Amino acid sequence: MEKIVIIYDDSTKASERVHTIIGEKSFGNIILKRKKIYTKIKSLIAETKIDIDFRIINNMDKIGSIESYSNNTIFFHLLSNMAIINDEEFLLLLKKLPYVKRTTTVYGPKNVGAIFVNKEEYLDFINEYNDVGNIDFLKKDIMKVSCFVDLSNYE
């Protein structure tokens, strides 16, 4: 089985309106139901019994550590402004990761993240993501999910 790595992208910046509510916190440090968002994700990963590395990045410059993974590693780049609202569906998504064979955009209320089937494709994505600043440019296969809510969408 290929190695699976979830990159939790906590570099996503809150809008000015959301910033007035959460203050200086990143999305990953927001507490929902007495747990930080990233802590909840880590505990759900543990429930799967699948060997998944979980990395939190709050600065895209720190992404260099992925060079140590083999090329056939599967990467799931997950944006931190997405909070899990359906644990069971998220667990199912995690269990599907080893079976994804093409780079896939994960789409919920909007782009949630993307699954990359090898390190080379992920590094290409990172280079373009750094230039563009969002993942909306990614037009790959789409996996629709409803287990997330967008915390950045505050009206």
Side-chain angles (χ1 to χ4, degrees):
M1 178 188 283
E2 295 93 354
K3 183 72 179 164
I4 299 172
V5 180
I6 295 178
I7 304 291
Y8 185 74
D9 183 357
D10 206 15
S11 67
T12 307
K13 301 293 182 214
S15 69
E16 193 60 40
R17 190 170 180 145
V18 171
H19 188 73
T20 61
I21 297 168
I22 67 172
E24 296 299 319
K25 293 180 182 166
S26 63
F27 282 110
N29 283 308
I30 293 175
I31 297 173
L32 294 174
K33 296 184 180 178
R34 297 189 304 243
K35 273 189 177 179
K36 290 182 180 180
I37 293 173
Y38 68 80
T39 303
K40 179 176 183 172
I41 293 171
K42 282 172 61 172
S43 65
L44 289 170
I45 290 170
E47 280 184 40
T48 66
K49 307 288 191 241
I50 300 172
D51 183 21
I52 298 175
D53 282 358
F54 182 70
R55 304 273 177 127
I56 301 170
I57 57 165
N58 50 21
N59 181 323
M60 291 310 288
D61 295 337
K62 296 181 181 177
I63 200 74
S65 63
I66 66 166
E67 288 293 339
S68 62
Y69 291 102
S70 69
N71 193 49
N72 65 344
T73 302
I74 296 171
F75 291 92
F76 179 17
H77 189 97
L78 178 61
L79 299 176
S80 65
N81 58 302
M82 297 294 159
I84 298 168
I85 57 171
N86 184 324
D87 293 358
E88 296 305 315
E89 186 180 349
F90 181 71
L91 288 169
L92 183 60
L93 171 62
L94 294 179
K95 291 175 184 173
K96 288 180 181 179
L97 290 176
Y99 306 103
V100 174
K101 299 302 175 202
R102 294 191 306 230
T103 295
T104 303
T105 302
V106 181
Y107 195 85
K110 64 180 191 177
N111 281 344
V112 169
I115 302 165
F116 300 88
V117 295
N118 62 53
K119 180 173 69 175
E120 186 178 322
E121 285 191 21
Y122 187 55
L123 288 172
D124 289 345
F125 160 78
I126 291 301
N127 291 331
E128 193 164 351
Y129 180 64
N130 283 337
D131 291 341
V132 176
N134 65 52
I135 66 171
D136 293 339
F137 69 88
L138 197 58
K139 304 291 185 220
K140 300 287 185 178
D141 291 349
I142 294 176
M143 179 188 299
K144 292 190 177 189
V145 296
S146 59
C147 55
F148 295 98
V149 65
D150 182 7
L151 298 176
S152 67
N153 187 16
Y154 173 72
E155 298 297 324

